[in-house]
Amino acid sequence: MRLRLVPEETNLDFFRPMRFWLAVSIIGVIGTLILLPVRGLNFGVDFLGGSLILAEFPETHEIGDYRTLLNGLDLGAVAVTEASGGHGGQVVLMRIGSNGEADQSQVVATVRGALDAAYPGVQYLQVDSVGGKVSGELVQTGVIAVALAVVAIMFYIWLRFEWQFAVGAAISLIHDAIVTVGIFSLLQFEFNLQIVAAILTIIGYSINDTVVVFDRVRENLRKYKTKPLKDVMNLALNETLSRTVLTSGTTLIALVALLLLGGPVTWGFAFAVIFGVLSGTYSSIWVASAIVLRLGVKRDWSKPGGGAAGTKFANVDA
């Protein structure tokens, strides 16, 4: 007997509350754009600049012990991760954020002195300093990476489907990226390069779900040439609902485990992707599909013109 989280056949009207969910999305995006200049982001060491120290300790200790020691020095934001086991020891990567006043060479000297006193025999494999210019370039590179990902995906959808689908997919991806940044600004969780990687992961996950829905919409448009576009898209969403629930559910199980058991190193990444999976599943239905419904699509792919059929919001039940 196969596991079913939803009935084999459903007949839900996904577009009945469309006005409400579109309003929620618009409020979320506008709220983020207002929140960012006012509240800003809690940038981590990657974006603030600071010092990076890779050290090998002869004995293995809890990562929290190193973090507590460095926090006690009151030098700035601290991030500590275990790099590997080393050659019989423990290799730890420590990043100390710049507080805008301290000289980074002095910061490194203070950290090395504290580590030498607490952990005799420690060896320093790499010591680097990241200035404000480099950290600013990382912010710019992160924004460019997200923008290029959205443009490339939009181009791919345009080639595979039609421009209406490309517009819907692109807007839903931008929506997911913006609201994810917004939740980090609202809650003031640390925003670092891991979160940029999480946003790119969210974009990939979201477009995968959107393409599955769009592919079924295209099949149904060929099959039901006279059925209203709203009914065709509703049918496609109902037919892919079981797949969406199972895929999102299994993904969330793994992410929740990472969130609860991964520790502080992976906590931000796991939280961002969990929020993004929920946002991406939501936007595939009430952002991407709603925009395609509004713009209309051609009904017959066998003809060059195809005859686009649009459906206005005024004809959709609120």
Side-chain angles (χ1 to χ4, degrees):
M1 182 178 179
R2 292 184 299 171
L3 173 64
R4 289 192 178 279
L5 299 180
V6 297
E8 186 172 358
E9 293 185 5
T10 58
N11 189 29
L12 303 176
D13 186 357
F14 288 96
F15 295 110
R16 183 174 181 80
M18 185 172 65
R19 290 178 182 272
F20 171 78
W21 291 117
L22 280 176
V24 170
S25 296
I26 292 172
I27 292 172
V29 171
I30 295 177
T32 297
L33 297 179
I34 295 174
L35 192 64
L36 283 176
V38 175
R39 193 169 175 84
L41 289 169
N42 179 22
F43 286 116
V45 176
D46 300 323
F47 293 134
L48 291 177
S51 301
L52 181 149
I53 300 175
L54 186 66
E56 181 175 359
F57 297 86
E59 298 179 355
T60 301
H61 302 273
E62 293 290 335
I63 294 298
D65 295 341
Y66 305 119
R67 190 178 294 109
T68 300
L69 175 65
L70 296 180
N71 282 329
L73 300 177
D74 195 25
L75 297 173
V78 171
V80 182
T81 57
E82 185 171 4
S84 70
H87 304 289
Q90 182 184 33
V91 177
V92 177
L93 177 64
M94 293 162 281
R95 291 173 291 179
I96 300 92
S98 172
N99 59 14
E101 300 176 359
D103 178 26
Q104 290 305 305
S105 60
Q106 184 60 43
V107 169
V108 171
T110 301
V111 171
R112 293 185 64 162
L115 293 175
D116 288 336
Y119 306 102
V122 58
Q123 297 182 7
Y124 300 95
L125 307 179
Q126 180 181 349
V127 178
D128 292 317
S129 294
V130 179
K133 181 179 179 180
V134 175
S135 60
E137 290 176 353
L138 289 176
V139 176
Q140 183 180 9
T141 303
V143 172
I144 292 174
V146 174
L148 288 178
V150 173
V151 171
I153 290 171
M154 184 177 179
F155 183 68
Y156 163 75
I157 298 295
W158 192 346
L159 291 179
R160 180 169 176 180
F161 298 98
E162 293 293 327
W163 68 267
Q164 296 95 331
F165 292 96
V167 171
I171 292 178
S172 72
L173 296 181
I174 294 171
H175 163 274
D176 295 338
I178 289 177
V179 297
T180 301
V181 172
I183 199 68
F184 271 79
S185 176
L186 177 65
L187 301 178
Q188 285 295 289
F189 292 154
E190 182 177 314
F191 193 90
N192 51 36
L193 285 178
Q194 285 188 357
I195 309 307
V196 175
I199 292 174
L200 293 172
T201 303
I202 292 165
I203 289 175
Y205 181 91
S206 178
I207 197 60
N208 177 67
D209 195 50
T210 302
V211 165
V212 170
V213 174
F214 283 175
D215 202 47
R216 186 59 60 90
V217 169
R218 183 171 61 176
E219 290 178 7
N220 288 342
L221 284 172
R222 288 169 173 165
K223 188 183 299 184
Y224 308 104
K225 298 183 186 300
T226 59
K227 182 177 288 191
L229 180 58
K230 174 188 171 184
D231 295 339
V232 172
M233 298 190 72
N234 250 326
L235 178 62
L237 290 167
N238 278 281
E239 289 175 343
T240 57
L241 180 60
S242 177
R243 177 260 176 203
T244 298
V245 171
L246 286 173
T247 303
S248 299
T250 52
T251 304
L252 288 173
I253 289 173
L255 289 170
V256 169
L258 183 63
L259 181 75
L260 298 178
L261 305 176
V265 175
T266 59
W267 193 92
F269 177 86
F271 175 83
V273 179
I274 287 174
F275 182 83
V277 167
L278 297 174
S279 173
T281 303
Y282 154 85
S283 67
S284 296
I285 300 172
W286 286 296
V287 178
S289 297
I291 290 172
V292 173
L293 178 61
R294 179 66 175 87
L295 295 175
V297 294
K298 68 180 184 179
R299 305 305 303 268
D300 189 354
W301 264 262
S302 63
K303 299 179 181 178
T311 301
K312 302 298 183 182
F313 282 141
N315 298 325
V316 180
D317 294 333

